[in-house]
Amino acid sequence: MAVNANPHEEEEHNDSAIERSEEEQAAYDKAKNGEYVIHHTKDSHDFGFVTNESENKHYGFSLPVILYDEGFHFFSSSSFDHGHKVAKSDGKYFKLNSHDAKIYRCDEYGEIYESLKPWDFSITKNVIVTFLMCLLMFLLFRGIAKSYRTGLAPTGAAKFFEPIVVFIRDEIAVPNIGEKQSKKYMAYLLTVFFFIWFLNLAGMTPLGINVTGNLALTAALALITFIITTFTGNKNYWMHIFWMPGVPVPMKIILIPIELIGMVVKPFALMIRLYANMLAGHVVLGMLIVAVYSFENYFASGAFLGLTFFMNIIELLVALLQAYIFTMLTALYFGAASATAEHH
Amino acid sequence: MKLLEEFSIGLFFWQAVLFLALLFLLRKFAWKPILNAVNEREEKISDSLVQAEKAQEELKQMQAQNEDLLKDARAERDGLIKEAKETATKMISDAKDAAKEEGSKMLASAQESINAEKVTAIMELKTTVAAFSIEIAEKIVRSELSSEDKQKALADKMAEDINLN
């Protein structure tokens, strides 16, 4: 059990470890395991692979930190030394709080000013992973696009990805939006589907990546869906919000606030659904992996190993399913925004 | 609200920037050419299918035409053969008729000449018989009237005949 457990926690309790009773030890292990799992679902300012707890050594690489606190501050995350050191930049002191993995202003002795939180635009682990995945997707799909220049029949990777592209067009976009209107939304639907799917799959690697299970990403995607829905909404769409056709006038008035709330709730639900599903998947997997190590009985460890494998398979399915659901619901909202009156 | 505390504006900013960049890059360099290629191929396939169907129909039509032509040709051939046969039989029958007519004509003229010959022969026979009769009668008369007795007997007899009348 030597992977990335919180070093700060370890340090605090190190001296009293021997004096703990059995019950206390159990409670301490439980808390430690819980923190270990949660820590792995969080973004971090360095890209760690392995941590040696007893020696407090971290193997990985540090990432650039970009802060805005009355001016921009750039430095490497190695200056924090995983929350042990105070980083000095342009006459200001910053410290990485290892409890919530956020950067705070502090004095030169490391006393944190809780109220002073700089704007953190650091290139974190999630940003790096997202960037690498974007790069991979761009190269992959540009390669596929290029492969069509030689002939119309799909070759290589196109053989695998073309049916998925066609599926999104024929089974998600066209039935929900309509053949003609769906054309302008295709680029977004395809990008969002593959973006979520690839990042979900990146989360399945043993690198402790959890990009799609982070509110920042799902919020960004949901906001873009909301903006596109709102700005491509036609007369019919706004009519259904502000003056619902086919119901009596008092109902029309009652429906206005409900529909307005619905406008916001729909993308909000998108945001929460993806976030909660991916986070929950990672937490469950993390717990199961912890369980494998926690038992001294080989049979129990073996059983949990099997269960972890089983959950992994399910998570692989969920990775695809959540991408599909997000794309599907986005298409549904676009369909409502661009539907013409004849559809009803 | 732990959820809000966890939310990082910086991460949100980078994710939005990266996603939008990816969206525009992929739209230009990947989705447009891929979807165009797929559309183009689908159109090509459906066009080809329509064309194949058309070609098949044309082939069927041509086959039907060919059959019609063959039928016509066959009918014409049959007609020609029939006509030829008819002409042949007609020619034969005509020839037969002509031959018969000629034959009967010849027969008739032969009969006629036979008849004429017969008549002349009978006439000749008659004249010859008459001449013989006259000669015989002359001889008989001469012998009858050679003596007085005989002349007187004759005259008597004749007179008797007259008396009797």
Side-chain angles (χ1 to χ4, degrees):
Chain A
M1 201 51 271
V3 191
N4 272 16
N6 197 320
H8 196 74
E9 190 80 11
E10 179 69 16
E11 203 178 42
E12 270 177 5
H13 297 273
N14 231 1
D15 45 349
S16 57
I18 311 144
E19 292 155 32
R20 275 195 216 105
S21 73
E22 213 169 285
E23 243 170 72
E24 274 171 346
Q25 180 66 38
Y28 168 72
D29 281 347
K30 214 166 143 188
K32 213 180 105 191
N33 285 339
E35 191 151 342
Y36 157 78
V37 171
I38 296 301
H39 174 84
H40 269 84
T41 65
K42 286 201 174 136
D43 197 7
S44 78
H45 283 85
D46 62 306
F47 206 127
F49 298 116
V50 180
T51 302
N52 188 332
E53 249 179 272
S54 47
E55 289 172 36
N56 204 2
K57 267 191 180 162
H58 300 264
Y59 300 95
F61 48 89
S62 37
L63 296 167
V65 174
I66 303 166
L67 301 174
Y68 183 79
D69 192 356
E70 296 156 19
F72 279 104
H73 302 268
F74 300 94
F75 51 92
S76 164
S77 70
S78 58
S79 319
F80 289 131
D81 191 22
H82 306 278
H84 299 300
K85 279 187 192 156
V86 173
K88 190 185 171 208
S89 170
D90 283 341
K92 289 194 170 68
Y93 298 96
F94 300 100
K95 190 169 194 252
L96 181 70
N97 185 345
S98 49
H99 285 287
D100 61 3
K102 286 196 186 301
I103 296 169
Y104 290 87
R105 272 277 289 283
C106 64
D107 60 18
E108 59 183 304
Y109 307 108
E111 199 59 44
I112 286 170
Y113 302 130
E114 284 282 354
S115 55
L116 287 175
K117 228 163 79 181
W119 292 91
D120 185 357
F121 289 101
S122 303
I123 307 298
T124 59
K125 187 170 163 185
N126 275 4
V127 177
I128 284 286
V129 170
T130 310
F131 176 75
L132 289 176
M133 274 298 161
C134 286
L135 194 68
L136 173 75
M137 281 175 70
F138 177 68
L139 293 176
L140 174 68
F141 289 110
R142 200 177 64 130
I144 289 172
K146 270 185 179 171
S147 78
Y148 286 105
R149 282 186 202 161
T150 48
L152 283 176
T155 50
K159 272 186 195 160
F160 178 75
F161 286 103
E162 195 201 286
I164 301 172
V165 171
V166 172
F167 175 84
I168 291 168
R169 189 193 62 181
D170 292 345
E171 305 297 327
I172 295 179
V174 172
N176 286 312
I177 309 174
E179 174 115 43
K180 217 174 141 198
Q181 279 102 336
S182 70
K183 288 206 167 77
K184 63 179 168 195
Y185 297 117
M186 275 314 290
Y188 180 69
L189 292 176
L190 287 167
T191 312
V192 93
F193 175 82
F194 285 110
F195 186 69
I196 294 173
W197 189 28
F198 276 47
L199 282 171
N200 283 349
L201 288 178
M204 298 299 296
T205 59
L207 295 171
I209 294 165
N210 182 30
V211 184
T212 40
N214 192 304
L215 262 186
L217 174 103
T218 60
L221 294 182
L223 185 71
I224 294 167
T225 294
F226 174 72
I227 289 170
I228 294 175
T229 312
T230 308
F231 280 90
T232 60
N234 57 14
K235 207 179 101 192
N236 197 49
Y237 172 68
W238 293 112
M239 185 109 128
H240 271 77
I241 290 168
F242 290 112
W243 207 243
M244 180 71 82
V247 295
V249 174
M251 270 308 278
K252 284 182 202 260
I253 294 161
I254 294 168
L255 278 173
I256 293 171
I258 294 174
E259 287 290 330
L260 279 175
I261 293 168
M263 258 176 83
V264 183
V265 164
K266 283 171 185 172
F268 191 79
L270 275 184
M271 170 180 88
I272 296 294
R273 182 181 298 108
L274 180 60
Y275 161 73
N277 270 290
M278 296 324 291
L279 181 65
H282 277 127
V283 169
V284 168
L285 268 179
M287 292 296 184
L288 287 172
I289 292 169
V290 167
V292 172
Y293 288 94
S294 297
F295 286 93
E296 274 162 31
N297 186 324
Y298 284 118
F299 289 111
S301 289
F304 274 105
L305 197 65
L307 204 59
T308 309
F309 177 73
F310 175 68
M311 271 310 288
N312 245 312
I313 304 288
I314 291 200
E315 281 300 307
L316 267 180
L317 183 73
V318 168
L320 179 63
L321 195 69
Q322 287 304 321
Y324 168 74
I325 289 171
F326 196 101
T327 314
M328 182 77 186
L329 289 171
T330 296
L332 207 67
Y333 303 153
F334 289 168
S338 63
T340 43
E342 300 96 73
H343 283 273
H344 295 273
Chain B
M1 282 291 276
K2 223 181 164 197
L3 211 67
L4 275 182
E5 266 171 41
E6 234 170 67
F7 185 80
S8 160
I9 293 284
L11 186 56
F12 172 80
F13 166 78
W14 284 118
Q15 300 281 24
V17 166
L18 283 171
F19 178 79
L20 286 175
L22 181 72
L23 174 62
F24 287 110
L25 281 174
L26 282 186
R27 191 170 79 155
K28 182 150 193 271
F29 292 109
W31 304 136
K32 261 188 191 159
I34 289 174
L35 287 173
N36 282 345
V38 170
N39 277 341
E40 205 179 311
R41 192 180 52 216
E42 275 168 1
E43 266 166 37
K44 212 174 176 181
I45 288 171
S46 67
D47 276 1
S48 303
L49 283 177
V50 167
Q51 260 169 1
E53 213 156 293
K54 240 190 233 166
Q56 215 160 16
E57 218 152 279
E58 256 168 50
L59 198 74
K60 239 182 228 173
Q61 240 169 15
M62 267 167 71
Q63 259 170 348
Q65 254 174 7
N66 273 357
E67 213 138 294
D68 276 356
L69 273 174
L70 217 67
K71 219 188 246 174
D72 281 356
R74 225 174 261 153
E76 210 175 313
R77 188 197 63 186
D78 284 353
L80 278 173
I81 289 172
K82 208 172 158 192
E83 216 171 292
K85 253 186 203 162
E86 261 169 31
T87 320
T89 39
K90 207 182 155 204
M91 269 170 78
I92 290 169
S93 68
D94 277 0
K96 267 187 188 161
D97 282 354
K100 231 183 234 172
E101 215 174 306
E102 195 80 0
S104 55
K105 252 188 208 164
M106 276 167 77
L107 222 66
S109 67
Q111 217 135 20
E112 237 168 70
S113 59
I114 288 169
N115 276 351
E117 300 267 306
K118 209 164 98 182
V119 170
T120 33
I122 289 171
M123 291 290 268
E124 225 164 282
L125 202 65
K126 266 183 187 167
T127 25
T128 318
V129 168
F132 280 142
S133 310
I134 292 168
E135 224 169 291
I136 293 165
E138 206 183 71
K139 276 173 186 169
I140 293 168
V141 170
R142 257 177 213 163
S143 64
E144 285 284 303
L145 297 173
S146 47
S147 60
E148 253 339 286
D149 298 342
K150 278 181 186 178
Q151 277 174 2
K152 205 192 163 200
L154 187 64
D156 287 348
K157 202 193 165 189
M158 278 183 160
E160 205 176 316
D161 282 348
I162 292 164
N163 275 354
L164 277 169
N165 281 344

